Amino acid sequence: MSASAVPKPSLRPYLASDFPLLSEIRFAAIEELTAEDYDEAQRRAWASAADDDAEFARSLEKGLTLVALIGGGPVGFISLQDGGLIDQLYVHPAVARTGVASALADAIEKLAAARGVATLVTEASDTAKPLFEKRGFAAERRNTIEIEGEYLGNTRMTKALALKAAADGRP
């Protein structure tokens, strides 16, 4: 699907009723979007590690999670945890590379800066790394994670944010 064929998404905070669709989006993204960077065994291990529904629900609820909607239905989401950690960013394969992930990242960066977060941090998958590089994130270190006997690489990346000046004009 081309970017011009996909309408700009609307964004809103996560609702508990989003959980089933966000879970489906996450699994579809792992399976379909990461195949160039991770082999089948690695994707299967990643998906099995993401199979804990209770932990996934907690991760969506404990931070600031934004959901991207097109036509009223969720097509992607991003979660910001304490300390400026972008914990999750997934989009449905049908809208990959159409601006949905960028819209989510734009919004989370603005909200984080408004909340006084000085630096954003993420552990970017090899698939997501180019998106974060384009957004000005710098690679700090390469990580290897072992999941069920499979080794998956990711990259810790950071981006300093320009903080909003106080409303009264003081820095």
Side-chain angles (χ1 to χ4, degrees), residues 38-142:
Y38 301 96
D39 66 29
E40 185 177 340
Q42 290 171 316
R43 293 192 318 274
R44 195 172 32 250
W46 183 354
S48 73
D51 205 19
D52 183 340
D53 284 349
E55 178 56 32
F56 181 46
R58 277 191 297 277
S59 74
L60 294 172
E61 293 166 1
K62 76 179 179 184
L64 170 63
T65 299
L66 297 179
V67 178
L69 305 153
I70 294 178
V75 295
F77 64 97
I78 191 169
S79 291
L80 179 69
Q81 303 300 329
D82 289 341
L85 174 67
I86 296 177
D87 185 37
Q88 302 182 76
L89 172 57
Y90 291 99
V91 298
H92 192 279
V95 298
R97 296 168 188 78
T98 64
V100 172
S102 292
L104 287 163
D106 284 344
I108 215 75
E109 286 182 26
K110 288 175 185 165
L111 289 167
R115 292 175 172 207
V117 174
T119 304
L120 289 175
V121 178
T122 192
E123 304 287 338
S125 69
D126 292 352
T127 306
K129 186 178 178 224
L131 169 80
F132 286 106
E133 286 173 333
K134 280 194 249 181
R135 303 194 58 74
F137 280 73
E140 285 194 343
R141 74 172 178 265
R142 187 79 176 141

